[in-house]
Amino acid sequence: MDFGVVLQTDPPAWRVVDLARQAEQYGFSHVWTFDSHLLWQEPFVIHSQILAATHRVTVGPMVTNPATRDWTVTASLFATLNSMFGNRTVCGIGRGDSAVRVINGRPVTLAQLAEAIEVIRPLGNGGVAEYRGGKLRFPWGGESRLPIWVAAYGPRALALAGRLGDGFILQLADPDIIAWSVAAVRQAASDAGRDPGAVTICVAAPAYVTDDSAAGLAHGRDQCRWFGGMVGNHVADIVARHGAGPGTVPATLAGSIAGREGYDYNAHGKAGNAHTDFVSDEVIDRFCLIGPPATHVRRLGELAALGVDQFALYLQHDHKDATLAAYGEKIIPQVTTQLTARL
């Protein structure tokens, strides 16, 4: 199992770069950032500095979208970084959430997402793309290689991820939902004539390392409760479109938005905001990894058994450096040892 870290691009940007540098030293393989240009600073500028300050990590957005940048601009950003730093980028992409909603826009349709991928992928991999009636390529970008990882929750989006994604991103760590989602992605890949095992499975969720006291666990949950609100935005859309019940989406997914009344994007991804009070402790315990190192090791073993190739931990809380250190010094080595022993 690989490990990634997901960072908000809050100022100062150099703090983000330093956390990325620490992550590489602790054995993380990927550094991801949010991409919401009004709420936080521009990620691709910071990606360039992260790549310059590190040597091995792969860097990308979790996730960008086709609405706020021209698709050829997105491809050019990646191809330029690859040319400068040696093919160390990955394009996490979805329909769009905070980046488009805070400018009174709407997420793109799945058809538009598919069209965008079919432009970004060839351009980012040194090829030719059809775009607006013409054929385009970067004359300088022939050596660029860019995997596309698709973020998805609902049935139709999962099918798109399996059909088109080099990787699939699921932003929660609930075992039942993971099993359902991975099965749907792999089935779609098989139906498209692809090798289902070739789609990289990435689960992303907050991780908070605590002691095993009731107070420590309660504080960790409160620091990660924002995540249930963020996921709830997507779940509310899915339930409105597909309904909730047998044959639709898992009960644990639909049930996670019980009591949800609204969402304030001005507090998106921030600990302690009141609009996520509806998120129960049970949901947090299923969606996130909270507790002493042994709890994280156990949960990560469960994720690996479900076919997860990478766990990317969100680091939006008051325990950033200590969580990175605990993962680098204790959790990653123990998980690696246990998974190696299974082989």
Side-chain angles (χ1 to χ4, degrees):
M1 178 183 282
D2 288 335
F3 290 86
V5 61
V6 189
L7 305 171
Q8 282 180 347
T9 53
D10 282 314
W14 293 115
R15 168 63 168 157
V16 182
V17 175
D18 181 61
L19 287 168
R21 182 186 55 77
Q22 289 184 54
E24 180 176 75
Q25 292 175 343
Y26 283 129
F28 287 77
S29 64
H30 287 65
V31 173
W32 304 88
T33 72
F34 283 51
D35 177 10
S36 195
H37 58 288
L38 284 179
L39 296 179
W40 305 292
Q41 294 182 323
E42 168 57 37
F44 286 97
V45 175
I46 298 172
H47 290 179
S48 182
Q49 294 299 319
I50 290 173
L51 288 162
T54 57
H55 304 283
R56 298 177 304 278
V57 290
T58 297
V59 179
M62 188 176 281
V63 293
T64 194
N65 69 85
T68 54
R69 306 176 203 272
D70 181 275
W71 306 341
T72 63
V73 171
T74 297
S76 182
L77 287 166
F78 285 109
T80 300
L81 292 173
N82 283 338
S83 177
M84 293 175 69
F85 300 104
N87 289 334
R88 291 170 52 204
T89 67
V90 56
C91 177
I93 192 167
R95 295 177 55 227
D97 184 34
S98 63
V100 294
R101 295 187 192 275
V102 297
I103 56 175
N104 296 320
R106 295 173 60 87
V108 302
T109 65
L110 288 173
Q112 290 170 323
L113 175 58
E115 290 173 7
I117 291 171
E118 297 289 18
V119 171
I120 296 168
R121 170 179 281 129
L123 289 177
N125 285 281
V128 176
E130 294 187 6
Y131 184 66
R132 295 184 179 177
K135 294 188 176 182
L136 307 175
R137 64 180 294 271
F138 298 136
W140 45 267
E143 301 302 315
S144 175
R145 296 296 179 265
L146 178 67
I148 307 288
W149 292 17
V150 180
Y153 287 106
R156 292 174 56 232
L158 293 170
L160 186 152
R163 188 173 77 250
L164 294 179
D166 300 300
F168 158 57
I169 298 171
L170 178 65
Q171 291 161 302
L172 52 80
D174 179 280
D176 293 342
I177 299 171
I178 292 171
W180 173 77
S181 302
V182 170
V185 168
R186 288 180 170 163
Q187 184 61 55
S190 179
D191 292 344
R194 306 179 64 201
D195 175 6
V199 181
T200 302
I201 307 298
C202 174
V203 162
Y208 196 104
V209 179
T210 72
D211 57 26
D212 58 2
S213 69
L217 292 170
H219 180 74
R221 291 186 184 110
D222 286 342
Q223 284 291 302
C224 297
R225 202 171 303 277
W226 63 269
F227 184 69
M230 186 185 82
V231 172
N233 298 328
H234 303 284
V235 176
D237 286 346
I238 294 165
V239 170
R241 186 176 300 110
H242 298 282
T248 54
V249 298
T252 49
L253 187 60
S256 69
I257 59 171
R260 180 181 184 272
E261 296 180 353
Y263 192 81
D264 179 6
Y265 275 94
N266 291 313
H268 188 61
K270 294 182 179 179
N273 52 72
H275 65 268
T276 60
D277 287 348
F278 73 93
V279 181
S280 69
D281 287 352
E282 180 184 2
V283 167
I284 294 303
D285 287 345
R286 293 184 67 88
F287 281 18
C288 307
L289 273 65
I290 300 169
T295 298
H296 292 251
V297 172
R298 176 182 57 79
R299 289 288 307 279
L300 290 164
E302 293 173 351
L303 300 189
L306 291 168
V308 175
D309 299 300
Q310 180 182 142
F311 176 65
L313 64 92
Y314 281 93
L315 207 61
Q316 283 73 57
H317 50 58
D318 62 0
H319 213 45
K320 294 181 177 67
D321 296 272
T323 295
L324 276 181
Y327 263 74
E329 295 170 1
K330 299 177 181 178
I331 296 168
I332 293 177
Q334 290 183 46
V335 172
T336 302
T337 298
Q338 289 187 10
L339 296 182
T340 301
R342 295 181 189 177
L343 298 178

